[in-house]
Amino acid sequence: YLGNKLLKILAVKPQESSCRDRKPGEIVEVKRHGGWVVETGQGKVEILQVQLEGKRALSGEEFARGHRLPPGTILGRESSPT
């Protein structure tokens, strides 16, 4: 979930693990020319394609350009609306 809307993760690319203590679902990085990186609890993944409830599928980069996704935001039922 992102806020109160279902966010389907359609494609990801594994990233090198970090040693920082992050929560699963936490946005770690929003790339300037690319997608965004999320902690999974077992490493990080770059989000390549997503679909927000009731919307068409978008690349991670397109989605990040159109939505406020600051690092530290946590995806899931407890995330704050953006």
Side-chain angles (χ1 to χ4, degrees):
Y1 281 83
L2 180 61
N4 61 354
K5 297 219 177 203
L6 179 64
L7 180 68
K8 293 181 184 177
I9 308 294
L10 303 175
V12 298
K13 180 171 101 176
Q15 299 290 296
E16 291 184 25
S17 295
S18 68
C19 26
R20 299 176 110 181
D21 187 29
R22 302 281 187 167
K23 296 178 181 177
E26 183 174 349
I27 296 174
V28 176
E29 174 186 7
V30 180
K31 297 182 175 187
R32 185 173 185 156
H33 297 290
W36 33 299
V37 179
V38 175
E39 177 62 44
T40 68
Q42 296 180 347
K44 299 183 297 186
V45 293
E46 180 178 353
I47 305 299
L48 301 177
Q49 188 177 33
V50 296
Q51 184 176 10
L52 190 61
E53 182 178 337
K55 303 289 183 178
R56 69 179 178 90
L58 297 173
S59 72
E61 181 177 3
E62 290 173 308
F63 189 83
R65 279 197 310 256
H67 293 81
R68 187 171 172 264
L69 300 170
T73 299
I74 298 178
L75 303 175
R77 290 194 181 266
E78 300 297 318
S79 67
S80 300
T82 58

